[in-house]
Amino acid sequence: MAKILDANGLSCPAPVLMTRDAVEAGGFEELEVMVDNNGAKENVSRFLESQNFSVSVFPKDAGYRIVARPGEDSPGEESRAGVIEPLVVCGERQKIMVLASTDRMGFGDDGLGKKLMVSFIKTIKEMGEDLWRLVFVNNGVKLTVEESPVIEDLLAYEEEGLHILVCGTCLEHFGLLEAKKAGETTNMLDIVTAMQIADKVIKI
């Protein structure tokens, strides 16, 4: 039985996450993934190959059709989920704090930087329960307002229990105190204290 996934129109990392979920669920003899850009083609193919699938890629319309079949060493239906879960450190989970000081990632092209930041925020949930605090300062607070392209993601993270802190001084500087829709307005003391408690701080 074949399972077909339509990832056309989805930006990174959505096609890979969709493929991962399908592999985890199992129940197929062949998996077909439709994508419409070269980056998605490479990322999905690489992921499937890392799970010991035999992968073939065919041009289709303006995109690609990726066909994958389980190899001899690929995980069976009962064990797939255990194989593709992220590595978890034994013992107590880490407390990871992510500090976002900008609404874009990297330097060079601002449009690309904003796309990368949106992708990062949407993917950050892959840290699982290790993600302890998400903190926004400086230009990063613009991601917490109603017009933000990731506001629904942030609200969902809060609903799931993630503690989001947003710098009040920064909101006030940009005139966004009333516009903030996600996170708890906080101060620098709370942010510094969170840094001290965290096992790891990732700065963006």
Side-chain angles (χ1 to χ4, degrees):
M1 183 176 67
K3 178 179 287 188
I4 300 175
L5 303 178
D6 185 357
N8 286 313
L10 299 180
S11 58
C12 176
V16 175
L17 296 179
M18 180 186 291
T19 304
R20 185 203 62 178
D21 290 345
V23 170
E24 183 177 19
F28 59 84
E29 296 176 357
E30 180 178 279
L31 179 65
E32 295 186 18
V33 186
M34 310 298 180
V35 298
D36 59 4
N37 62 82
N38 189 63
K41 178 196 73 171
E42 295 296 330
N43 290 332
V44 170
S45 298
R46 190 180 304 116
F47 169 76
L48 289 167
E49 289 170 350
S50 76
Q51 300 302 310
N52 296 313
F53 281 78
S54 171
V55 179
S56 301
V57 180
F58 306 95
K60 180 176 175 59
D61 300 327
Y64 304 94
R65 172 174 167 260
I66 303 168
V67 180
R69 297 180 180 86
E72 291 184 4
D73 298 326
S74 63
E77 289 183 19
E78 295 181 358
S79 62
R80 277 186 183 132
V83 172
I84 63 176
E85 281 298 312
L87 179 64
V88 176
V89 178
C90 294
E92 198 172 316
R93 289 183 179 272
Q94 294 189 83
K95 292 185 179 71
I96 297 178
M97 171 180 161
V98 175
L99 178 67
S101 60
T102 177
D103 63 347
R104 63 206 70 189
M105 182 178 283
F107 300 94
D109 185 283
D110 285 345
L112 173 60
K114 288 184 176 182
K115 286 183 179 179
L116 292 176
M117 179 58 82
V118 169
S119 180
F120 175 79
I121 295 297
K122 289 179 177 293
T123 312
I124 201 173
K125 63 184 177 182
E126 297 304 308
M127 291 186 184
E129 294 181 13
D130 284 350
L131 181 58
W132 174 68
R133 292 285 187 274
L134 179 54
V135 182
F136 293 97
V137 300
N138 208 320
N139 210 45
V141 302
K142 294 179 180 179
L143 293 169
T144 67
V145 301
E146 190 170 14
E147 296 78 14
S148 165
V150 294
I151 191 62
E152 295 301 326
D153 301 276
L154 296 180
L155 292 172
Y157 293 163
E158 280 193 296
E159 186 70 22
E160 294 166 4
L162 176 61
H163 198 177
I164 299 175
L165 301 177
V166 186
C167 169
T169 300
C170 307
L171 288 168
E172 188 173 8
H173 175 81
F174 291 112
L176 297 174
L177 273 173
E178 299 299 322
K180 179 185 70 68
K181 295 299 179 182
E184 174 186 347
T185 302
T186 191
N187 54 64
M188 193 56 67
L189 177 59
D190 288 340
I191 294 172
V192 171
T193 300
M195 283 182 168
Q196 290 178 306
I197 297 172
D199 295 310
K200 180 188 295 184
V201 177
I202 299 174
K203 301 176 183 177
I204 303 298

